[in-house]
Amino acid sequence: MTALKLTQIGNSVGVILPKEVLARLKVEKGDTVFLTEAANGVTLTPYDPSLEEQLKAGREFMREFRDTFHQLAK
């Protein structure tokens, strides 16, 4: 667990992430991270949860029409 302090950043309040946390998340300055609510608090992740849902839907679509795609590839 890493304790972080809230700090004033312009008119907002922010959190400064230590280098070790940035390395663990594999992110750097300018990258986007996503904060999602979890059962025990919040989760900070570099992976877009909505993108994962879109990929899942795309995989299901491709699986459903697998034969059609196979025919089109000929």
Side-chain angles (χ1 to χ4, degrees):
M1 178 186 292
T2 303
L4 303 173
K5 244 186 203 182
L6 297 175
T7 185
Q8 187 75 36
I9 301 174
N11 291 330
S12 300
V13 175
V15 176
I16 307 287
L17 299 175
K19 288 180 189 177
E20 299 81 27
V21 173
L22 295 173
R24 203 172 323 143
L25 289 171
K26 297 178 182 162
V27 297
E28 56 187 32
K29 181 181 176 182
D31 288 347
T32 300
V33 293
F34 300 89
L35 184 74
T36 55
E37 290 189 34
N40 58 349
V42 295
T43 302
L44 185 68
T45 178
Y47 305 107
D48 183 353
S50 65
L51 177 61
E52 185 62 35
E53 291 174 18
Q54 292 172 11
L55 288 173
K56 182 180 175 185
R59 287 186 188 111
E60 289 174 11
F61 179 82
M62 288 171 50
R63 189 174 15 253
E64 184 178 340
F65 294 100
R66 179 180 171 200
D67 294 335
T68 304
F69 286 122
H70 182 71
Q71 291 297 322
L72 289 171
K74 288 184 177 182

